[in-house]
Amino acid sequence: MGKSAVSGFGARELAAATPATRDRYVDLLRVASLAVVVLGHWLMAAVTADGSVGNLLAVVPELQVVTWALQVMPVFFFVGGFSHALAHRSRPGYALFLRARLQRLLRPTMVFVGVWGAFALVVQLFGASRPEAGGGLTGVALRLVTQPLWFIGIYLAMVAFTPPLLKLHERWGWGAFAALAGGAVAVDVLRFALDVPFVEFLNFAFVWLAIHQLGFLRADGMIRLPGVLAAGGLLGAGLLVALGPYPLSMVGMPGEKVSNMAPPTLALLAHGLWLVGAVELLRGPGARFAARAGVWHKVVAANGIAMTAFLWHLTAMLGVYGALLAFDVTLPAPATGAWWAQLPLRIAAAAVLTGVLVAAFRRFERPAPAAPATGDGGPLAAVGITLALFGVLGLSMVGFGGLLEGHSATLIAVDVTAPVAVAMALAGWLLVERAGRGRTVRTS
């Protein structure tokens, strides 16, 4: 399907050309999980008349239990592990594998960063807002729109670690997963029982890579008891929340002392196990549903724009709220009857505006024709993806607020500003693109 996409086929042609051996359920899960994340963000946003953005789950704490169904990022990372295993086996060279996996990821991301960076610069140069001091909805937007980039950063790490972790999987199977899960357990013991400082950040790797490792197991048909996985994960998460220091919400909440998300905890790993088990239990009916011609056509079309929609969905949401405030439309207090009544219209408007932004930027998600590549360039690719990883993660933390004032955020004990983060991400992307390209031999 990759070559067809490059050659300009539409979604209908791609859908019709799909080989019977393709696991269409995986593609359905990829699209559905990102759609749930987008919808969740739109649902949780609680914007007030002064332009501040709160969290509905903080206003109505009883709703935090719904995150046990709506926090589906583990499903996306699980599906990523499955896809990365197949992709690496078909492109065993490290540089070639990285370039193939990252083309449709970093290109639209850097366009998004460039557009918002330019907007932030204009805002500050012309004094339309004071983002560093709050600056109303504009200032909030400059801080908020980059936050989902943490997902891109984690995904970059998963791509980078796929070759060595796939080797461990091929040798140890479930043992490789157990080692990563054991690391997550050890980190939380050191964090909560022994109060070791900074150790919790290691679980960004252990928790998410353990869930990613489950995708390798699925690729080799090794998840044979999904019901046990689902029940064990759900029971484990329930006990950890009930008896331990873990909060109920599986997404980050403002002002909480412990978050299950940032950094990830053992409770989030258990939550991921239950979700993976659940989607595997639905594999039969899900595969039959995805095999329907009409459904598969929509899945193919959605996969072609999924990353663009994810990158711009918060922009669309904030744009809707900005328009409402600009036209003096009354914003009801969050969680009131009027707020709930207005919610479907706000979501519909955000969906329409997202569609407009996707139409404008979707072309950057299509992989550009690449120069011939060799299996060389592994060290250069490793440096590139490391720079891109830290650049994207840094930008997700610092945002574009206070761009000219040198506003910074701490990334693994190092202060990072937005310009530095953008420079790292851009340099990393260019290095990955450069790595492993075949050299043209000139002849006289």
Side-chain angles (χ1 to χ4, degrees):
M1 291 181 69
K3 291 182 179 180
S4 298
V6 172
S7 62
F9 281 14
R12 193 171 299 278
E13 290 80 7
L14 284 170
T18 303
T21 54
R22 186 174 182 92
D23 194 329
R24 302 183 187 205
Y25 182 51
V26 165
D27 293 284
L28 175 63
L29 288 177
R30 181 184 297 112
V31 168
S33 58
L34 277 185
V36 170
V37 170
V38 168
L39 181 60
H41 287 166
W42 288 345
L43 286 170
M44 287 190 298
V47 179
T48 56
D50 63 355
S52 62
V53 180
N55 191 318
L56 177 65
L57 301 181
V59 178
V60 189
E62 294 81 5
L63 290 177
Q64 292 179 20
V65 70
V66 304
T67 63
W68 288 48
L70 296 182
Q71 169 51 291
V72 294
M73 218 35 119
V75 175
F76 189 90
F77 291 148
F78 164 65
V79 167
F82 174 88
S83 299
H84 294 158
L86 300 185
H88 185 260
R89 287 166 175 169
S90 65
R91 298 183 182 92
Y94 189 66
L96 182 59
F97 167 72
L98 287 188
R99 286 181 59 208
R101 299 310 291 174
L102 297 186
Q103 266 198 330
R104 289 183 60 186
L105 186 67
L106 283 179
R107 194 162 172 249
T109 299
M110 295 312 302
V111 170
F112 170 83
V113 168
V115 171
W116 266 102
F119 174 72
L121 192 60
V122 169
V123 165
Q124 290 202 269
L125 285 175
F126 290 93
S129 174
R130 299 297 296 169
E132 74 282 1
L137 189 61
T138 300
V140 171
L142 293 179
R143 296 192 302 270
L144 189 64
V145 292
T146 64
Q147 287 183 7
L149 293 180
W150 75 265
F151 151 78
I152 306 290
I154 296 298
Y155 203 76
L156 287 172
M158 290 175 174
V159 174
F161 282 105
T162 287
L165 289 180
L166 187 58
K167 287 183 179 179
L168 291 178
H169 157 75
E170 289 169 347
R171 181 171 183 179
W172 301 107
W174 277 98
F177 165 80
L180 290 168
V185 173
V187 165
D188 274 14
V189 169
L190 293 172
R191 175 186 182 184
F192 294 118
L194 302 178
D195 201 26
V196 176
F198 304 116
V199 71
E200 64 267 25
F201 294 103
L202 290 174
N203 265 351
F204 277 112
F206 285 129
V207 170
W208 289 127
L209 289 177
I211 292 172
H212 185 251
Q213 201 81 5
L214 291 172
F216 297 167
L217 292 162
R218 187 192 191 277
D220 289 338
M222 298 176 68
I223 300 180
R224 300 187 180 93
L225 297 173
V228 173
L229 196 64
L234 188 59
L235 178 62
L239 289 175
L240 287 169
V241 168
L243 304 177
Y246 306 97
L248 174 64
S249 175
M250 290 298 165
V251 300
M253 297 298 299
E256 62 186 355
K257 293 182 179 180
V258 176
S259 167
N260 281 322
M261 274 289 294
T265 64
L266 185 58
L268 185 66
L269 176 56
H271 171 70
L273 293 179
W274 112 255
L275 285 179
V276 168
V279 298
E280 283 296 281
L281 283 172
L282 296 172
R283 184 172 179 176
R288 291 190 291 272
F289 178 71
R292 297 179 182 177
V295 172
W296 180 239
H297 171 237
K298 291 180 177 62
V299 169
V300 171
N303 262 311
I305 61 169
M307 191 52 55
T308 303
F310 176 80
L311 286 167
W312 291 98
H313 77 280
L314 283 186
T315 302
M317 180 197 77
L318 292 167
V320 169
Y321 278 110
L324 292 174
L325 292 172
F327 287 101
D328 291 324
V329 176
T330 301
L331 291 179
T336 61
W339 187 91
W340 287 108
Q342 197 185 74
L343 180 64
L345 294 176
R346 293 197 303 269
I347 289 180
V352 169
L353 186 50
T354 299
V356 172
L357 291 168
V358 166
F361 295 106
R362 64 180 297 177
R363 64 185 181 275
F364 298 106
E365 192 167 346
R366 298 170 186 157
T374 70
D376 302 325
L380 187 63
V383 172
I385 197 169
T386 300
L387 284 173
L389 162 65
F390 285 112
V392 170
L393 284 179
L395 191 57
S396 75
M397 299 176 66
V398 72
F400 284 115
L403 188 65
L404 299 180
E405 287 76 19
H407 175 66
S408 64
T410 302
L411 176 66
I412 315 179
V414 176
D415 288 339
V416 178
T417 63
V420 169
V422 171
M424 284 195 297
L426 181 59
W429 172 46
L430 294 176
L431 286 176
V432 171
E433 281 291 308
R434 177 64 181 169
R437 287 187 177 180
R439 296 181 180 177
T440 302
V441 179
R442 295 184 179 180
T443 57
S444 55

